[in-house]
């Protein structure tokens, strides 16, 4: 695998009289060559996302967000749409998107993508500043690393074309990992816990990563406080929502697990399409393997110390290998952390996942009609493409190489984490 750029060079910064070293380094990041790179990242990141977001209506999820906006505009509980399966950070951001739509007369399908697009560009900036601060004498290395995210087709497809917001929890997870690295073990990782808490408020999957952080925290009192900061805000928000609509919150959020999809081990259910019971049993078995994989991670790395970025990549790869359902938006989860900690494998993942998404979008267009990008009407072709037996088999075969690559990457991450652990 290709080696990542050396990020261990000594830090160099321009001195500014009367300024603290921290402020000096931030000021240096916006000056001269580095300032040009920051501007290029901003322009590239926005243009390459805003243009397709405007030209392409997007997936059925975009229609779901439009429905949420409509309910919010009427003063109704957006969870009554049955389109929301997570804590309330995303509908809060959609409320802001609705204001933008009303004030600036933006197309609704475009406005609902804006919060995710801005957060997606923020991921690129977080990566750039991380690597710039590690060795500020070579800003071109930080710029090159950040480009692997800014120009990543998986990231662009998820927020600008598909219209999903998985970059938001991915951003907060990335910031949590970076904050933990900057925090000494003697101090309580307040910033890390807050970032991870925001990730759980966006989607629940960052909560699975919380136990991986616990061995880096000294004392059980501090560990319990860390878990409280991560989970209590989401729990309280869901409790308030539960009081308003108990059945909806239980069914759509608390008990939500996703459907058994055409992915990985669970896709074998398509071999017996006339046996629905096998599909349910198959999904149950695979999901237990997923939980067992995470539990194994927690136990093995409780006393072993390994780079947190690689460990988080391993936990996400465990999801890719054993989940009974992986939507196209889920392929975004690992990208920011892999740019941070496993750039060699990410390069190959970008090619395989990018080609898979491109073929998927071409073979099964979101509205059912090829090249009719702006239409949001689901035609009869849509139902044939997505609901027929042919579509299930086709999706399984198309996703098989990507799933196989994830299995290989998963094994490589296990070997590296075990070899590098102390």
């Amino acid at each position: 695998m290709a080696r990542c750029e050396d990020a261990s060079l000594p830090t160099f910064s321009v001195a500014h009289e009367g300024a603290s070293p921290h402020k000096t380094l931030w000021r240096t990041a916006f000056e001269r060559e580095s300032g040009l790179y920051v501007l290029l990242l901003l322009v590239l990141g926005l243009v390459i996302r805003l243009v397709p977001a405007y030209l392409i209506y997007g997936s059925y999820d975009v229609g779901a967000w439009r429905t949420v906006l409509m309910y919010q505009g009427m003063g109704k509980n957006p969870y009554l749409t049955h389109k929301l399966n997570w804590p309330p950070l995303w509908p809060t951001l959609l409320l802001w998107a609705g204001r933008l739509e009303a004030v600036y007369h933006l197309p609704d399908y475009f406005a609902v993508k804006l919060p995710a697009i801005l957060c997606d560009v923020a991921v690129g900036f977080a990566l750039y500043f991380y690597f710039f601060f590690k060795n500020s004498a070579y800003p071109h290395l930080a710029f090159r690393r950040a480009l692997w995210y800014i120009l990543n087709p998986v990231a662009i497809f998820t927020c600008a074309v598909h219209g999903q917001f998985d970059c938001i929890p991915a951003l907060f997870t990335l910031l949590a990992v970076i904050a933990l690295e900057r925090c000494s073990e003697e101090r309580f990782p307040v910033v890390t816990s807050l970032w991870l808490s925001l990730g759980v408020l966006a989607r629940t999957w960052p909560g699975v990563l919380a136990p991986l952080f616990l061995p880096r925290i000294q004392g059980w009192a501090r560990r319990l406080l860390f878990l409280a900061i991560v989970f209590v805000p989401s729990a309280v928000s869901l409790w308030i929502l539960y009081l308003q609509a108990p059945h909806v919150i239980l069914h759509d959020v608390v008990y939500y697990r996703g459907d058994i999809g055409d992915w990985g081990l669970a896709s074998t259910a398509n071999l017996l399409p006339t046996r629905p019971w096998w599909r349910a049993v198959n999904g149950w078995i695979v999901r237990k393997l997923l939980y067992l994989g995470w539990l194994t991670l927690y136990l093995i790395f409780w006393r072993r110390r390994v780079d947190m970025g690689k460990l988080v990549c391993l936990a996400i790869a465990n999801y890719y290998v054993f989940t009974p359902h992986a939507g196209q938006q889920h392929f975004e989860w690992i990208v920011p952390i892999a740019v941070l900690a496993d750039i060699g494998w990410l390069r190959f993942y970008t090619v395989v996942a990018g080609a898979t998404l491109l073929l998927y979008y071409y073979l099964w267009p979101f509205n059912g009609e090829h090249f009719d990008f702006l239409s949001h009407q689901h035609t009869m072709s849509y139902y044939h493409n997505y609901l027929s037996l042919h579509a299930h088999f086709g999706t399984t075969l198309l996703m098989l190489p990507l799933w196989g690559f994830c299995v290989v990457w998963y094994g490589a991450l296990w070997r590296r984490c075990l070899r590098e652990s102390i």
Side-chain angles (χ1 to χ4, degrees):
M1 289 297 161
R3 293 183 179 273
C4 57
E5 294 90 352
D6 183 13
S8 60
L9 296 174
T11 300
F12 169 84
S13 62
V14 179
H16 292 268
E17 185 177 356
S20 68
H22 185 73
K23 290 183 179 180
T24 296
L25 200 56
W26 271 105
R27 188 181 303 173
T28 305
F30 293 95
E31 292 178 344
R32 299 177 184 177
E33 183 183 2
S34 178
L36 178 60
Y37 289 143
V38 169
L39 181 61
L40 284 174
L41 286 176
L42 178 64
V43 174
L44 281 174
L46 289 177
V47 170
I48 207 168
R49 286 161 175 79
L50 292 176
V51 171
Y54 186 84
L55 294 179
I56 300 174
Y57 172 84
S59 72
Y60 36 81
D61 291 320
V62 173
W65 311 147
R66 293 172 68 212
T67 304
V68 171
L69 279 183
M70 181 181 67
Y71 268 60
Q72 289 176 328
M74 294 186 297
K76 294 184 177 180
N77 185 344
Y79 282 84
L80 296 178
T81 62
H82 301 285
K83 305 294 184 182
L84 299 170
N85 308 112
W86 319 276
L89 181 59
W90 177 238
T92 303
L93 293 176
L94 283 179
L95 185 63
W96 171 77
R99 301 287 175 81
L100 288 179
E101 174 197 346
V103 173
Y104 297 102
H105 307 288
L106 300 176
D108 54 2
Y109 71 89
F110 177 68
V112 297
K113 298 177 184 179
L114 290 178
I117 287 175
L118 294 178
C119 288
D120 207 41
V121 176
V123 173
F125 278 108
L127 290 165
Y128 175 79
F129 289 125
Y130 171 81
F131 287 105
F132 176 80
F133 291 156
K134 285 187 75 75
N135 87 83
S136 57
Y138 302 94
H140 64 281
L141 296 181
F143 177 69
R144 187 189 309 171
R145 186 67 74 91
L147 282 180
W148 274 102
Y149 189 86
I150 289 294
L151 302 180
N152 195 286
V154 179
I156 296 169
F157 177 91
T158 303
C159 67
V161 178
H162 192 136
Q164 269 287 4
F165 63 98
D166 291 72
C167 59
I168 298 178
L171 168 64
F172 294 138
T173 301
L174 172 69
L175 293 173
V177 172
I178 292 175
L180 184 71
E181 180 180 315
R182 296 170 60 89
C183 181
S184 63
E185 291 196 10
E186 292 76 19
R187 298 174 56 191
F188 179 74
V190 177
V191 178
T192 299
S193 61
L194 291 175
W195 284 130
L196 205 58
S197 178
L198 286 172
V200 177
L201 274 169
R203 274 187 184 269
T204 51
W205 66 262
V208 175
L209 307 174
L212 300 176
F213 291 79
L214 296 183
R216 311 296 177 94
I217 305 172
Q218 295 182 355
W220 276 104
R222 289 187 171 190
R223 290 167 182 166
L224 292 175
L225 177 60
F226 178 85
L227 293 176
I229 295 175
V230 171
F231 292 108
V232 166
S234 294
V236 171
S237 64
L238 289 178
W239 172 251
I240 294 173
L241 292 168
Y242 171 82
L243 295 178
Q244 301 176 26
H247 175 73
V248 172
I249 298 302
L250 284 177
H251 181 269
D252 292 349
V253 182
V254 178
Y255 297 144
Y256 177 74
R257 295 295 182 273
D259 297 326
I260 308 301
D262 307 315
W263 171 263
L265 298 174
S267 64
T268 57
N270 292 327
L271 299 177
L272 296 172
T274 60
R275 302 288 191 274
W277 61 268
W278 168 243
R279 190 175 185 86
V281 171
N282 178 280
W284 184 88
I285 294 173
V286 173
R287 188 168 280 122
K288 295 303 178 288
L289 291 175
L290 170 65
Y291 299 152
L292 180 62
W294 278 327
L295 180 61
T296 304
L297 273 176
Y298 302 152
L299 294 177
I300 289 180
F301 292 102
W302 182 261
R303 294 190 179 278
R304 292 173 176 260
R305 295 300 176 89
V306 68
D307 177 73
M308 182 56 69
K310 294 186 179 67
L311 193 56
V312 170
C313 282
L314 178 59
I316 298 175
N318 181 78
Y319 175 85
Y320 291 155
V321 172
F322 293 113
T323 182
H325 171 72
Q328 292 75 47
Q329 69 273 21
H330 297 169
F331 305 143
E332 154 84 6
W333 296 0
I334 202 171
V335 177
I337 305 298
V339 174
L340 181 76
D342 202 6
I343 188 66
W345 279 90
L346 175 76
R347 293 179 176 125
F348 293 93
Y349 176 79
T350 298
V351 173
V352 178
T356 301
L357 291 175
L358 183 63
L359 283 172
Y360 182 86
Y361 183 63
Y362 172 74
L363 294 173
W364 295 284
F366 289 135
N367 68 327
E369 299 294 338
H370 292 287
F371 307 115
D372 188 10
F373 298 128
L374 276 177
S375 174
H376 61 272
Q377 299 297 326
H378 288 168
T379 65
M380 291 305 296
S381 299
Y382 167 86
Y383 298 101
H384 172 74
N385 284 337
Y386 281 95
L387 303 180
S388 67
L389 185 62
H390 166 77
H392 285 299
F393 275 109
T395 303
T396 299
L397 292 176
L398 178 62
M399 296 294 175
L400 192 58
L402 178 56
W403 179 76
F405 177 85
C406 290
V407 173
V408 177
W409 192 4
Y410 180 63
L413 282 167
W414 263 112
R415 290 191 297 271
R416 290 183 63 186
C417 289
L418 290 173
R419 185 175 64 247
E420 298 174 9
S421 61
I422 58 174

